[in-house]
Amino acid sequence: MLLIPAIDLKDGHCVRLQQGDMRASTTFSDDPAAMARRWLDAGARRLHLVDLNGAFAGKPVNEGAIKSILRAVGDDIPVQLGGGIRDLDTIERYLDDGLSYVIIGTAAVKSPGFLKDACSAFGGHIIVGLDARDGKVATDGWSKLTGHEVIDLAKKFEDYGVEAVIYTDIGRDGMLTGINIEATVRLAQALTIPVIASGGLAGIADIEELCAVQGEGIEGVICGRSIYNGDLDFAAAQQRADELSG
């Protein structure tokens, strides 16, 4: 079970939001590259970056901070990024800069043809981010709820050739109320590609619950507010996950 620290970027700073609200942000660091090294030193085996401004603007905004993180970690671990990725040129540029995976969210839902093209052009590097409330997919930085069912869309995108699905329960994100295990397992059971859980991770009990259902196809979990405010000791949690995963 991969524990994946999240570095959410707003105006060049490392922040956390509550339920995707840009007005409800807490700044944890003014040096995203140093934060990346911190998680690398704590035993992280992958990093999750989000260009929050980009997600709302529909284009990359925090490229400077992203490049500084990529320089800081080098080839040590894979880095994945989402937020404002809407065209193939942006994907190519990010991959050339050293990103391992590009996460497509809103654009996958609104322009499935773009996702299909991205999978064809950059096979092995495309992850889909599906954010949902009560099983319905949300877009545009979670501000718009669609009528699409998560499982239906995920199956369609699996057929396109995406590497994995990141599933976020937006009712829980940043709230420390616990991962929605049931919904995550349901999605993983419907797919053959891995699912990465996200949203609401509160503590070690969540990690233990996820490890218990790892065999259903849940590859990892994104760690946000809990590792920044100290509710979860990242290094200890990854060690515990490794023990449980055998």
Side-chain angles (χ1 to χ4, degrees):
M1 177 68 62
L2 271 181
L3 273 58
I4 310 172
I7 299 178
D8 290 1
L9 300 165
K10 179 187 176 192
D11 306 329
H13 305 303
C14 176
V15 307
R16 292 302 297 167
L17 305 185
Q18 283 193 352
Q19 294 185 296
D21 186 348
M22 287 287 270
R23 296 163 301 180
S25 71
T26 307
T27 299
F28 285 100
S29 173
D30 295 329
D31 188 345
M35 186 61 77
R37 289 299 314 181
R38 171 185 163 185
W39 297 127
L40 185 64
D41 292 342
R45 299 200 281 267
R46 188 186 293 194
L47 288 178
H48 175 81
L49 312 185
V50 183
D51 182 345
L52 291 170
N53 303 98
F56 285 88
K59 61 183 180 184
V61 175
N62 285 288
E63 275 194 85
I66 291 158
K67 284 182 177 178
S68 74
I69 289 170
L70 292 171
R71 283 195 298 271
V73 302
D75 296 327
D76 292 343
I77 56 171
V79 180
Q80 60 193 39
L81 166 76
I85 297 163
R86 305 282 194 272
D87 60 73
L88 297 178
D89 288 343
T90 299
I91 296 174
E92 185 170 25
R93 191 167 73 248
Y94 275 138
L95 293 177
D96 285 347
D97 286 340
L99 267 181
S100 300
Y101 303 102
V102 168
I103 302 159
I104 301 176
T106 292
V109 181
K110 291 185 160 181
S111 311
F114 161 60
L115 178 66
K116 204 171 189 177
D117 290 345
C119 289
S120 295
F122 308 106
H125 297 285
I126 306 298
I127 293 174
V128 159
L130 290 177
D131 308 325
R133 190 191 300 276
D134 301 324
K136 302 288 187 188
V137 174
T139 61
D140 299 278
W142 305 351
S143 61
K144 295 175 184 169
L145 209 57
T146 71
H148 296 295
E149 294 284 344
V150 172
I151 288 176
D152 293 343
L153 271 186
K155 282 178 158 178
K156 178 173 153 185
F157 297 156
E158 178 177 39
D159 289 343
Y160 289 176
V162 300
E163 276 297 289
V165 172
I166 296 173
Y167 172 66
T168 305
D169 184 322
I170 62 177
R172 300 184 182 222
D173 191 77
M175 304 304 288
L176 302 174
T177 50
I179 294 281
N180 189 337
I181 302 276
E182 191 182 326
T184 307
V185 167
R186 259 199 319 271
L187 178 60
Q189 287 173 336
L191 303 173
T192 57
I193 55 172
V195 170
I196 296 169
S198 173
L201 179 69
I204 198 74
D206 284 321
I207 302 297
E208 291 172 345
E209 273 194 82
L210 281 167
C211 287
V213 294
Q214 184 173 1
E216 303 293 349
I218 300 168
E219 178 184 63
V221 57
I222 290 167
C223 308
R225 186 172 288 274
S226 60
I227 58 171
Y228 285 96
N229 65 12
D231 286 338
L232 185 71
D233 178 317
F234 179 83
Q238 182 63 74
Q239 188 177 353
R240 178 68 177 141
D242 290 344
E243 288 167 8
L244 291 170
S245 302

